[in-house]
Amino acid sequence: PAWLHQALMLQAGHLPATAATVVGHDLAWLAAACGEDRDGPAAEPPADWTEGSVAERRPAFAAFRARDPEGARTALEAVFRKEKADAREALVGALWTGLSPADEPFLESCLDDRAGGVREAAQRLLPRLPRSLYASRMAVRASAALVIERKARLLRSAAPELVVTLPEESPTLARDGVTPNAWEQRGGGIRAGLLRDILARTPLHAFAGHPPRLWIELAMRSEWSEPIVRGLFEAMARERDPAWTRAAIDLLAEAYEGKVSGIRRTNELLGRWVQAVDLLSAAEWEATVAELIRARKIEVVLAMLEKGPDAFSERFSAALIDWLAFVVRGSESLRRDLAKPWRIAGLGERLWPGEDIAATAAALAARLPEDEGNDRLRQQVASLTETLDMRVAIRREFQS
């Protein structure tokens, strides 16, 4: 699609062969139209990953890895100790391509490398292997730090509570990349930071003893809510587990509506809700936000638009632009709410560049009452319209 061409032009240097194959001619046309002097996409990386600079060797090794994951890792292991630290770090990082459990022994050995960058590269990759020894160590630590217990109360049935034991720093924890941060020293923050980082690296199956919703709800009520929830959300972002994502979205939606006791409605709560919805696929994200649009939840919709896909589908774009028209026709207070976060202007880059959608956007400015109170919104609508009109024109040229 035409809207993708600009993004591909920016990435052509990293994906030269792919970009040239898919839209090479169009990229050359776009470069010329933008006044850039280009002979064509950047040259391909060298075929031999053992030659050239580190910047050249990494993409060449990644290409080798994509063709033959096992062979590439075996070849790297054979020469690894002879490489300089910067090359070792770059090549270990390139194991992201084709990462599998077979890479675990090599990555585990990298945790003891003399170069900090190599250790950090391995520490970034090992959490992506949920059945590894690294993941098991994190699961043990998480299980020791967080325990759900049922405590009976006077005249009440036993209720679940989260018992938190903050971890202590140690050499074995540091080996796995969990170290204290000096800026977290206030209020016992160092140990809370260790807990957050442990949870961020823990596989979600370590919490299988209780439903995801219970873990998240008790975490949000905890004295240590901030580090626990942050850690869990980082783990969710890594694994994209549908059950955890849906549990978080449903709980946060109910909590923001005031339907969950013990959790206050705050801007931070809304931010967590936005973060959870952003874990969905593009189609699921659009379906969720479309429901909020139909419910006329202007504050929540505007918050959701801070995240989400870089480009909206045609159907969602039509629903969104119709919703904007509805709000613009509404009260002065609704228009102020719409203008406040300065989010409307950026929609021109994300809406589907269709003629009807652009026409509806152009009509928004005409519907705004002529008074100073609408200046902020008028500027944003003008920017949206200008960007969208330009993208529609570009799309029209490509299609012709």
Side-chain angles (χ1 to χ4, degrees):
W3 58 263
L4 188 56
H5 289 186
Q6 182 184 11
L8 277 173
M9 186 169 74
L10 296 174
Q11 295 297 324
H14 303 291
L15 305 167
T18 305
T21 300
V22 178
V23 284
H25 178 75
D26 289 337
L27 290 188
W29 179 92
L30 186 57
C34 293
E36 296 186 15
D37 184 16
R38 286 193 183 185
D39 296 328
E44 292 190 42
D48 186 353
W49 66 274
T50 63
E51 296 181 352
S53 66
V54 173
E56 293 171 328
R57 293 178 64 192
R58 174 166 177 151
F61 180 74
F64 180 20
R65 175 79 169 170
R67 295 191 304 271
D68 182 4
E70 186 75 16
R73 191 195 67 255
T74 301
L76 176 60
E77 288 180 289
V79 300
F80 191 68
R81 297 304 168 192
K82 301 176 184 177
E83 297 285 354
K84 293 183 178 179
D86 58 344
R88 294 202 309 276
E89 178 183 349
L91 295 171
V92 169
L95 291 176
W96 175 282
T97 301
L99 184 66
S100 75
D103 301 317
E104 182 193 347
F106 175 65
L107 291 173
E108 187 75 22
S109 71
C110 289
L111 294 177
D112 297 313
D113 195 277
R114 62 185 180 275
V118 176
R119 297 195 299 271
E120 291 170 7
Q123 289 158 1
R124 286 192 294 271
L125 292 178
L126 280 167
R128 301 277 173 179
L129 302 173
R131 301 293 174 181
S132 65
L133 289 174
Y134 182 97
S136 297
R137 294 195 294 272
M138 290 299 172
V140 169
R141 292 162 180 151
S143 298
L146 301 183
V147 177
I148 294 179
E149 295 181 353
R150 289 193 173 272
K151 297 186 176 181
R153 297 183 178 182
L154 187 63
L155 302 179
R156 292 185 184 178
S157 59
E161 290 187 9
L162 186 64
V163 179
V164 181
T165 304
L166 295 178
E168 299 277 1
E169 57 182 297
S170 69
T172 55
L173 198 56
R175 179 179 181 269
D176 286 339
V178 181
T179 55
N181 293 316
W183 53 270
E184 291 180 320
Q185 291 183 359
R186 293 179 298 174
I190 285 181
R191 294 176 65 192
L194 294 176
L195 175 58
R196 177 200 61 227
D197 293 346
I198 288 171
L199 296 176
R201 293 163 169 80
T202 299
L204 292 176
H205 64 72
F207 305 101
H210 300 280
R213 177 176 173 126
L214 182 61
W215 282 111
I216 299 169
E217 184 173 347
L218 293 181
M220 294 182 69
R221 289 176 177 159
S222 168
E223 174 187 2
W224 305 103
S225 170
E226 197 277 335
I228 296 174
V229 173
R230 271 189 62 187
L232 290 175
F233 265 68
E234 287 186 39
M236 289 163 54
R238 182 185 67 250
E239 294 195 23
R240 303 285 173 144
D241 183 280
W244 276 83
T245 300
R246 182 49 59 188
I249 291 172
D250 292 345
L251 172 64
L252 291 163
E254 292 174 24
Y256 197 71
E257 294 293 330
K259 298 176 181 178
V260 180
S261 62
I263 302 177
R264 295 185 300 110
R265 174 174 172 162
T266 62
N267 288 334
E268 183 181 1
L269 182 67
L270 178 58
R272 288 289 182 206
W273 186 10
V274 170
Q275 190 180 359
V277 173
D278 195 44
L279 296 177
L280 297 171
S281 67
E284 292 172 316
W285 184 93
E286 289 188 350
T288 300
V289 177
E291 285 292 329
L292 295 170
I293 287 174
R294 285 190 284 273
R296 308 297 190 191
K297 298 183 183 293
I298 181 171
E299 178 189 23
V300 178
V301 172
L302 288 173
M304 293 294 171
L305 291 175
E306 184 179 0
K307 300 283 189 179
D310 291 335
F312 299 144
S313 69
E314 185 173 10
R315 182 175 181 179
F316 179 78
S317 296
L320 182 57
I321 203 72
D322 286 345
W323 174 75
L324 290 176
F326 165 80
V327 177
V328 165
R329 291 194 301 269
S331 65
E332 184 64 30
S333 63
L334 284 178
R335 288 191 290 273
R336 282 198 302 270
D337 290 342
L338 190 64
K340 192 182 303 179
W342 204 269
R343 203 148 291 148
I344 304 306
L347 294 179
E349 300 175 3
R350 302 169 72 187
L351 289 168
W352 179 264
E355 303 277 358
D356 293 342
I357 293 170
T360 305
L364 292 178
R367 294 187 180 126
L368 280 171
E370 293 288 341
D371 58 66
E372 293 183 2
N374 291 305
D375 285 349
R376 184 182 178 90
L377 182 56
R378 185 174 289 105
Q379 291 177 37
Q380 295 188 65
V381 170
S383 178
L384 180 156
T385 303
E386 181 180 355
T387 303
L388 196 54
D389 283 346
M390 180 175 65
R391 293 179 62 228
V392 169
I394 291 173
R395 182 166 176 250
R396 191 185 303 120
E397 282 195 48
F398 275 122
Q399 288 178 331
S400 62

